[in-house]
Amino acid sequence: MSASDKKKLRKEAEAMALTEKQKKQMSEEKKLKAITVSFVAIMLVIALIAASVLGVRGYKNSGLIDRITTAAVTGSHELNSVMVNYYFIDQIKTSYTEIKNSFGDNASMYFGYMGINVNAPLNTQPVSEGSEKTWADYYLESALSKAKNDLALYDKASAEGFKLTEEDEKAIESNTQMLEYYAAMSGYSSVNKYLKATYGNGANLKSYNEYIRITTLAANYYNAHRDSLTYDDAAIREYEKDKYYEYSNFSYAVYTVKVSDYLTGGTENEDGSKTYSEEEKAAAQEKAKADMEKLKAIVGLEAFDAAISELEINKPTSSESTEGTADAPTEGTADASADDKQNTVVSQKKDIVKYTDLPENYREWMASADRKDGDVTAFNNETTTKDAEGNDKVVIESYDVVCLMERNDNKQPMSNVRHLLVKFEGGTTDAKGNKVYSDTEKAAAKAEAERLLQVWKDGAATEDSFIALVKEHSDDGSAETGGLFEDIHPDSNYVESFLNWSIDPDRQPGDTDVIVSEYGYHVMFYSSHDEVTYRDYMITEDLRTRDLEAWYNGIVEPVSVTTVNTKRLKLDFVLANLG
C-alpha cells in the first residue's frame, strides 16, 4: 500500500471516529433534552396543581360559592347560603342573649341543663339522647321559619306599596356606622371582614343591609297592621260578655290547715321516723276539719287573721309539750317550740292576682256574681291512694282556707306620671357584690329631692315647669321626655313604691310627692288619667291579638320553606364564640 493510500485510509478512519463521537454526543444531547423537557413538564404540572389548589381555596374563601349556592327556597325566593347564615346566626344570638340576660354568669350552666355544651359545635350535639336531630338543626328550623315569615310579609307589603320610611333608612345607615365601629374595635380593617368573621364566607355589607331591609320592612308592616286594629265600646263589651272576670284582679289571703300538723302519738321506727295508726290519722283528720270549719265561718280579713292566731295549734307551747303541733312546721302553720313563736301566725296574703293566675279551684268561687269582700271558704287538697283491697281511696291532706280581700274589675283609668330621680351617691359594695348606701347618703338624696320639689312649688308650679326641672336635674334616662311614663296599670313592671303611688285610686292630676326606691328618691308628678281604663286596655289587646294572629297566619301559613343545600352553612357554630 502506497503512502498516499495509507494517508487516505487514516483520514477516513479519523473521519469515521469523529462521526461516532458526534453521534454519541448528539445521543447524549438528545437524552439531556428529553430529561429537561420531562422535568419542565413535571414542574409545570406541579405548578398547575398548586395554582389550582390555591385557586379553589381562594374561590371558596372568596364567598362566591356561598353567594351562588341555594341553601333554601321559600315562596318565590331562593335563599343563598349567606342569607340563611344571617338568619341562622341571628337566631342563635337572640337565644343566647335572652338566656344571658336572664341568668348572667350562670348562662353556661343553664345551657348545660338544656343539654348544650357552649364550647362544642352545635352540629355535634343532639337535642336529646338518642336523637338524630342536633341543636344546629333546631336553630336552623327556627331560622328558616323566621325567614319564611319575614319574606311572606315582605312580599305582601311590597305588593301593597308599603315601603321603608326615611327614618328607617337613616336607622340602617346608622347601623352601618355602628358596624364600622364594632369592626374597628374587634381589630378588623373593614366591615366586610367583620361580617365574614361573624356570619361566614360571602357575608358583606351589601347583602347584610338587604337582610336588614327585609326584616325591617316585614316588622314595620306587621306593626302598622296591628296599630290599625281599633275597636269601639260595643265590640269591647260584646267580647267581654262571656269572660267578664278574666279581666278582674283578685287579692286574697290563704291559710293552709295541714292534717299532718294534728297527728299525735305514733310509733317511732329504727330510722327515727314515725308511723301512725289509722285511728291516729282519723283523729288528726277530725281536728283539722274542725279548725277548717271554724275559720270558714269567719267574715272579714281582720277577724280571719285573729281567728287563725287563736287556733289551739297556733298558740305558744313549751318545748317539752309538743302534742298537737307539727313534726315539720311550715309557713302558715304552728311552730314546734315557744322559742320559734315570736310572731303571731296569720294568713298568707296574695295581692293583685289575675283571674287566669288564680288556682283553678279558686276561680269559680271568687268570680261568683254574689261574692263580697271578706267572704271566706275552704278547698280540699286531696290525694288518691289504694286501700288494703286495692281500691282507690281519696285522702284529704290539707285544707286551703281562703278569704277574699278585694276583687278589682280594673275600671280605673290608667295613669300618666312624670318623675325626677335623685340617685343615691357614694355607696359601698358588700360581700355579695351589691351596692349599699349609708343613712347619711340616703338622707342627702332625700334632702335634694325635697329641695327640688320646693323649687318647683315656689315657681310656676305647672306641668311645663316640672318638665323643665326634670330635664335640668333628673338622673334618670327619661329626662329627655320630661320623665314621662304613660299607661301605667296594676300589672306594670315598675318598682313597687313607684307603681303604688302611680295607681293610687285617689290620685289626681297635679298631685306631687317624694318617694323612695332602690334607685334613689323620686319627685313624683301625676300628669293625667288616661282616656282608657285598664280593663278596656286588656280587652282591646286580646281582640287585637286574636285578629292580628288570624291576619298573620293567613299570610304566612300558605307559604312553605324547604332546604336545598346546607353544606355552606355555619352549622358548626360554637356558642362560646359569642362571648
Side-chain angles (χ1 to χ4, degrees), residues 117-125 135-136 571-575:
N117 179 353
V118 297
N119 295 304
L122 289 173
N123 62 349
T124 65
Q125 304 183 62
W135 280 105
L571 302 180
D572 59 348
F573 192 87
V574 177
L575 283 178

Side-chain angles (χ1 to χ4, degrees), residues 140 159 234:
L140 180 59

Side-chain angles (χ1 to χ4, degrees), residues 514-563:
V514 172
I515 63 172
V516 66
S517 77
E518 61 192 271
Y519 301 106
Y521 278 88
H522 307 254
V523 183
M524 304 295 295
F525 179 91
Y526 193 86
S527 177
S528 64
H529 299 316
D530 203 280
E531 294 180 358
V532 179
T533 66
Y534 181 41
R535 182 179 192 82
D536 286 358
Y537 168 80
M538 287 190 288
I539 295 171
T540 299
E541 286 300 296
D542 281 355
L543 280 165
R544 186 174 283 129
T545 298
R546 179 199 67 183
D547 295 342
L548 186 64
E549 183 178 0
W551 170 83
Y552 179 74
N553 289 340
I555 295 172
V556 303
E557 285 184 351
V559 182
S560 62
V561 61
T562 55
T563 55

Side-chain angles (χ1 to χ4, degrees), residues 276-467:
Y276 297 90
S277 67
E278 291 302 316
E279 291 76 13
E280 289 169 333
K281 291 178 183 178
Q285 179 73 62
E286 287 302 315
K287 290 178 183 178
K289 183 178 181 181
D291 277 357
M292 177 273 290
E293 294 289 356
K294 191 181 299 182
L295 295 177
K296 187 178 175 182
I298 301 297
V299 175
L301 178 63
E302 187 175 344
F304 182 60
D305 277 340
I308 291 170
S309 65
E310 288 300 316
L311 292 176
E312 190 66 30
I313 196 171
N314 289 333
K315 291 181 179 179
T317 58
S318 65
S319 57
E320 291 79 18
S321 175
T322 60
E323 182 174 338
T325 62
D327 291 331
T330 57
E331 183 178 356
T333 63
D335 295 342
S337 69
D339 292 338
D340 293 330
K341 287 189 162 235
Q342 302 299 318
N343 300 312
T344 302
V345 178
V346 294
S347 59
Q348 191 175 33
K349 309 301 188 294
K350 304 286 187 179
D351 292 324
I352 312 178
V353 180
K354 290 181 179 179
Y355 176 86
T356 51
D357 292 336
L358 290 172
E360 285 190 36
N361 54 337
Y362 292 11
R363 292 177 187 173
E364 184 178 353
W365 179 80
M366 286 194 177
S368 174
D370 58 356
R371 187 65 50 235
K372 299 184 296 294
D373 295 351
D375 284 357
V376 177
T377 194
F379 301 95
N380 298 349
N381 296 315
E382 304 171 343
T383 58
T384 301
T385 60
K386 299 288 186 182
D387 60 19
E389 287 74 34
N391 300 314
D392 286 344
K393 178 183 178 182
V394 176
V395 178
I396 297 176
E397 300 283 352
S398 62
Y399 303 94
D400 282 351
V401 188
V402 178
C403 174
L404 177 63
M405 294 160 55
E406 180 186 19
R407 183 179 72 205
N408 183 353
D409 291 338
N410 291 310
K411 293 183 177 181
Q412 178 183 337
M414 293 188 292
S415 305
N416 302 318
V417 305
R418 296 184 185 275
H419 87 130
L420 184 158
L421 175 64
V422 179
K423 285 185 176 180
F424 299 131
E425 296 292 341
T428 56
T429 304
D430 64 14
K432 295 181 179 180
N434 300 316
K435 197 82 166 179
V436 293
Y437 299 91
S438 67
D439 290 341
T440 301
E441 290 167 335
K442 291 179 179 179
K446 181 181 181 181
E448 176 63 7
E450 291 175 340
R451 184 190 74 80
L452 290 171
L453 178 57
Q454 191 60 50
V455 167
W456 176 79
K457 289 179 177 180
D458 292 341
T462 63
E463 184 164 0
D464 286 341
S465 65
F466 190 86
I467 292 171

Side-chain angles (χ1 to χ4, degrees), residues 38-262:
S38 297
F39 176 76
V40 171
I42 292 170
M43 292 305 295
L44 181 60
V45 169
I46 293 173
L48 288 172
I49 292 172
S52 176
V53 170
L54 291 173
V56 169
R57 187 176 298 169
Y59 172 63
K60 287 183 177 180
N61 291 334
S62 71
L64 178 60
I65 190 172
D66 301 88
R67 288 190 285 271
I68 65 174
T69 298
T70 299
V73 174
T74 178
S76 61
H77 299 275
E78 293 185 357
L79 306 182
N80 63 21
S81 298
V82 179
M83 184 63 71
V84 174
N85 269 334
Y86 288 145
Y87 275 102
F88 177 66
I89 301 300
D90 279 354
Q91 283 295 106
I92 296 172
K93 287 165 67 175
T94 298
S95 173
Y96 182 86
T97 300
E98 288 175 352
I99 292 174
K100 189 77 172 177
N101 289 342
S102 298
F103 298 95
D105 295 336
N106 296 318
S108 294
M109 185 182 299
Y110 181 83
F111 278 114
Y113 291 144
M114 292 172 61
I116 300 178
N117 179 353
V118 297
N119 295 304
L122 289 173
N123 62 349
T124 65
Q125 304 183 62
V127 295
S128 60
E129 188 175 353
S131 174
E132 294 184 0
K133 181 178 180 179
T134 67
W135 280 105
D137 297 329
Y138 169 84
Y139 282 115
L140 180 59
E141 286 178 6
S142 179
L144 290 176
S145 177
K146 187 175 189 310
K148 181 203 79 165
N149 296 345
D150 280 355
L151 286 163
L153 288 171
Y154 178 85
D155 289 343
K156 180 74 171 174
S158 299
E160 294 181 3
F162 188 91
K163 297 180 180 179
L164 293 178
T165 64
E166 184 178 340
E167 186 177 345
D168 293 330
E169 294 293 351
K170 288 182 179 178
I172 293 173
E173 184 178 339
S174 176
N175 185 59
T176 298
Q177 294 171 354
M178 288 300 297
L179 286 173
E180 291 172 350
Y181 170 78
Y182 289 141
M185 290 295 293
S186 302
Y188 293 97
S189 59
S190 69
V191 173
N192 286 345
K193 289 183 179 179
Y194 173 72
L195 290 171
K196 178 180 177 180
T198 304
Y199 294 101
N201 289 334
N204 57 37
L205 186 59
K206 181 180 178 181
S207 61
Y208 184 76
N209 279 343
E210 178 188 355
Y211 161 68
I212 294 298
R213 281 190 168 84
I214 290 170
T215 57
T216 302
L217 186 67
N220 287 2
Y221 180 61
Y222 177 92
N223 291 332
H225 184 77
R226 182 188 185 283
D227 294 342
S228 72
L229 298 173
T230 57
Y231 305 90
D232 60 18
D233 187 68
I236 292 172
R237 302 284 78 83
E238 177 63 25
Y239 185 76
E240 75 168 351
K241 188 168 57 177
D242 298 325
K243 49 179 77 67
Y244 184 86
Y245 293 109
E246 291 186 18
Y247 299 99
S248 299
N249 287 339
F250 299 82
S251 297
Y252 64 94
V254 59
Y255 174 77
T256 301
V257 179
K258 297 178 65 176
V259 173
S260 60
D261 291 346
Y262 293 81

